[in-house]
């Protein structure tokens, strides 16, 4: 006779294997050791509040919200955890730090380092660390160190670390993380640059860190000393807004007036397929445009009547003198699922803004679309702009981020 518990365990095992096969097929997992870790760790034990099918879906499980309903802690989507573990290249015997706890990712890391390695996970929220400790023990990963602290200072008592994986969205890389990284170590961190978040795999190169890989990624924002909020300028209630990650001067009333004016459309001739990612274009625009920001809109028909950006969450936009332009696209061949990039503009200088944005879309298509990815580096302290004329410099609190294109 099969017990209910045994049947549930068998069902969880089967769902876990299906998830791994899905991650392999999508290319999120390529390394056999990462696949083995995902096959071994029972994800449902770290998300007991949802059904088994949801625990093994390739999606985020939200576990805590703030008073406004915003997610502040979650079990990240498996595809993203897999991508970051692939970026980290963890091997047996390593000493690793995870910044931002949930338990599940730390268990995956523990599988990768094996009994000869050590994993420490840290979080600023006692509810989160209590939960992580409880679930890690239940799942058989009691050897993972769980620390309650503001991770801006790292976890010096278990340093140095061969690998640091950050599972919260951050705006800067604090000095403690550099100090606690071994000489040949690697940091994997979802860093926000001009509003865009990318998971960077960083290694030391002289006195700075350089990316050896970067992937599009989004996480709940870090809390504590490292928190750094974007500025949101609303243009039509809560339906349309511009997000700024720097200190640009903004004439809010002029932009609101511009939104009410008829829009200008300019099309680029640059086409793409329905499944082709265009995060490289977004990063190029963030690199090449000075008055760069991001346009967001609510997922309502009323908001779409006002603006129709390439992505409702965050689309590159160019600020002008009393107006703005933003990236859009439209379908040109339904059978082939082919689309064309264009720009919509509002305001007295809409023509100039749309032309400028379309020009940069064409530059990306001609010079960077099929070439090497951008080179992203992080330098301690400020850098003189005159010494880096072909590079976008992004000043941060502790560092300067540089983005250049081969």
């Amino acid at each position: 006779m099969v017990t209910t518990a045994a049947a549930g365990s068998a069902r969880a095992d089967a769902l876990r294997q299906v998830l791994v096969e899905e991650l392999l097929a999508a290319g999120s997992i390529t390394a056999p050791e990462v696949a083995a870790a995902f096959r071994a760790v029972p994800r449902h034990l770290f998300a007991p509040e949802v059904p088994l099918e949801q625990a093994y879906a390739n999606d985020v499980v939200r576990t805590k919200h703030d008073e406004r309903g915003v997610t502040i802690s979650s079990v990240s989507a498996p595809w993203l955890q897999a991508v970051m573990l692939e970026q980290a290249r963890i091997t047996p015997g390593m000493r690793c730090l995870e910044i931002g706890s949930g338990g599940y990712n730390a268990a995956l890391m523990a599988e990768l380092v094996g009994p000869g390695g050590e994993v420490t996970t840290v979080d600023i929220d006692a509810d989160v660390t209590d939960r992580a400790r409880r679930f890690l023990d239940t799942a058989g990963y009691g050897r993972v160190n769980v620390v309650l602290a503001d991770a801006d200072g790292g976890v010096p008592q278990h340093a140095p670390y061969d690998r640091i994986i950050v599972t919260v969205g951050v705006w800067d890389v604090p000095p403690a993380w550099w100090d606690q990284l071994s000489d040949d170590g690697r940091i994997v961190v979802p860093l926000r640059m001009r509003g865009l978040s990318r998971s960077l795999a960083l290694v030391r190169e002289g006195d700075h860190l350089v990316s050896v890989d970067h992937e599009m990624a989004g996480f709940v924002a870090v809390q504590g000393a490292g928190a750094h909020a974007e500025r949101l300028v609303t243009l039509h209630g809560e339906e349309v807004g511009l997000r700024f990650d720097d200190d640009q001067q903004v004439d809010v009333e002029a932009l609101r007036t511009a939104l009410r004016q008829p829009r200008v459309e300019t099309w680029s001739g640059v086409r793409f397929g329905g499944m082709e990612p265009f995060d490289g274009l977004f990063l190029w625009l963030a690199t090449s445009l000075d008055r760069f920001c991001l346009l967001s809109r609510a997922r309502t028909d009323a908001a779409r009547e006002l603006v129709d950006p390439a992505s409702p969450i965050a689309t590159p936009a160019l600020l002008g003198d009393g107006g703005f332009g933003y990236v859009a696209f439209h379908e040109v061949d339904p059978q082939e699922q082919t689309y064309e990039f264009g720009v919509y503009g509002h305001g007295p200088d809409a023509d100039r803004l749309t032309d400028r944005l379309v020009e940069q879309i064409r530059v990306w298509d001609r010079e960077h679309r099929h070439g090497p990815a951008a080179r992203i580096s992080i330098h301690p302290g400020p850098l003189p702009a005159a010494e880096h004329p072909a590079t976008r410099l992004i000043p941060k609190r502790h560092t300067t981020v540089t983005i250049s294109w081969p």
Side-chain angles (χ1 to χ4, degrees), residues 33 85-86 88-92 94 96 109 112-113 163 165:
E33 57 271 21
L85 289 171
E86 294 264 345
R89 297 189 179 181
I90 298 171
T91 58
M94 282 187 170
C96 299
M109 293 168 68
L112 291 168
V113 302
R163 298 291 186 267
I165 299 183

Side-chain angles (χ1 to χ4, degrees), residues 105-272:
N105 196 62
L108 293 169
M109 293 168 68
E111 286 288 336
L112 291 168
V113 302
E118 183 178 56
V119 174
T120 298
T121 182
V122 58
D123 202 283
I124 197 172
D125 188 329
D127 291 341
V128 173
T129 53
D130 288 348
R131 173 190 173 98
R133 177 74 282 161
R134 184 168 67 254
F135 294 160
L136 283 163
D137 289 345
T138 299
Y141 297 95
R143 66 184 185 277
V144 173
N145 305 312
V146 179
V147 177
L148 174 63
D150 187 334
D152 200 67
V155 184
Q157 60 266 37
H158 296 289
Y161 301 103
D162 302 298
R163 298 291 186 267
I164 298 175
I165 299 183
V166 184
T167 60
V168 289
V170 302
W171 187 75
D172 200 1
V173 178
W177 300 357
W178 298 57
D179 296 341
Q180 294 170 25
L181 185 69
S182 64
D183 289 342
D184 58 350
R186 178 178 291 212
I187 299 178
V188 177
V189 53
L191 184 69
R192 198 173 83 230
M193 301 165 290
R194 308 203 83 192
L196 300 178
S197 180
R198 296 290 183 271
S199 176
L200 309 179
L202 299 162
V203 297
R204 293 186 190 271
E205 188 173 280
D207 66 347
H208 62 281
L209 301 172
V210 62
S211 70
V212 293
D213 180 58
H214 52 85
E215 304 285 347
M216 191 164 63
F219 277 92
V220 298
V222 71
Q223 302 176 53
H228 189 282
E230 289 180 301
R231 179 169 50 127
L232 175 66
V233 173
T234 56
L235 303 186
H236 192 275
E238 298 298 316
E239 292 186 309
V240 180
L242 292 174
R243 291 162 42 193
F244 295 86
D245 208 23
D246 50 28
D247 297 325
Q248 293 186 55
Q249 296 296 313
V250 180
D251 186 338
V252 178
E253 289 308 317
L255 293 174
R256 289 172 178 167
T257 300
L259 179 62
R260 295 193 293 269
Q261 297 177 9
R263 75 186 183 196
V264 171
E265 300 183 14
T266 305
W267 297 98
S268 67
V270 176
R271 298 186 175 191
F272 67 98

